[in-house]
Amino acid sequence: MSVKILEIKKESCPATRFIGKKYEGRANWDEWWANNWFETLESLQCISFNGDAYIGAVHIVNGMPERWIGMFFPLDTEVPEGFEYVDIEPLDYAVCYLYDKENSADFFTMDTHNMCLEELKTQGLKRKEDDWCFERYNCPRFTTPDENGNVILDYGISIV
């Protein structure tokens, strides 16, 4: 596995409204690009925790993963037509800054997730079971490769 954890930062997210699309199976990023759905969300004022990023998120509902694509907004944000939302309680996250080649599939494996969980343990952090994890595709960290062709993906795991 070529993914490296550059650092882990503890970040707090206030109560938030996640606006986007919910997926029972695999999240479909291609339809987001084809339909310009991020353009609609970018017209709204997201919270600072979101940063200049698109978000892929997952949590467990009734024993099954529920996947989302979208962005974090204040709780009172009106949901645009055609979008769904979920309100999320305030949570603390351990955000792993993952470093690898642009387009690396290793960003999205269970091995990488488990590597992050092991590193959290060494720092005395504990995952909040079945709660939210997210991928934060920050611009320019994830969108502009460095001189070695690598990018940084923010991978957040809710902690207790």
Side-chain angles (χ1 to χ4, degrees), residues 131-149:
D131 222 320
W132 291 93
C133 293
F134 66 84
E135 300 156 353
R136 186 170 52 195
Y137 298 90
N138 183 277
C139 179
R141 283 193 302 270
F142 188 78
T143 58
T144 305
D146 67 11
E147 63 279 357
N148 299 315

Side-chain angles (χ1 to χ4, degrees), residues 54-75:
Y54 301 144
I55 308 293
V58 65
H59 70 140
I60 304 300
V61 177
N62 298 323
M64 299 298 295
E66 181 180 274
R67 293 175 175 82
W68 287 79
I69 297 175
M71 297 170 71
F72 295 111
F73 296 94
L75 283 176

Side-chain angles (χ1 to χ4, degrees), residues 11 29 63 72 75 85 89 113-114 119 124 133 138:
E11 295 185 27
W29 288 88
F72 295 111
L75 283 176
Y85 76 94
E89 67 184 22
H113 174 77
N114 291 333
E119 188 60 30
C133 293
N138 183 277

Side-chain angles (χ1 to χ4, degrees), residues 71-86:
M71 297 170 71
F72 295 111
F73 296 94
L75 283 176
D76 60 352
T77 303
E78 188 173 323
V79 180
E81 186 176 333
F83 289 85
E84 301 169 271
Y85 76 94
V86 59

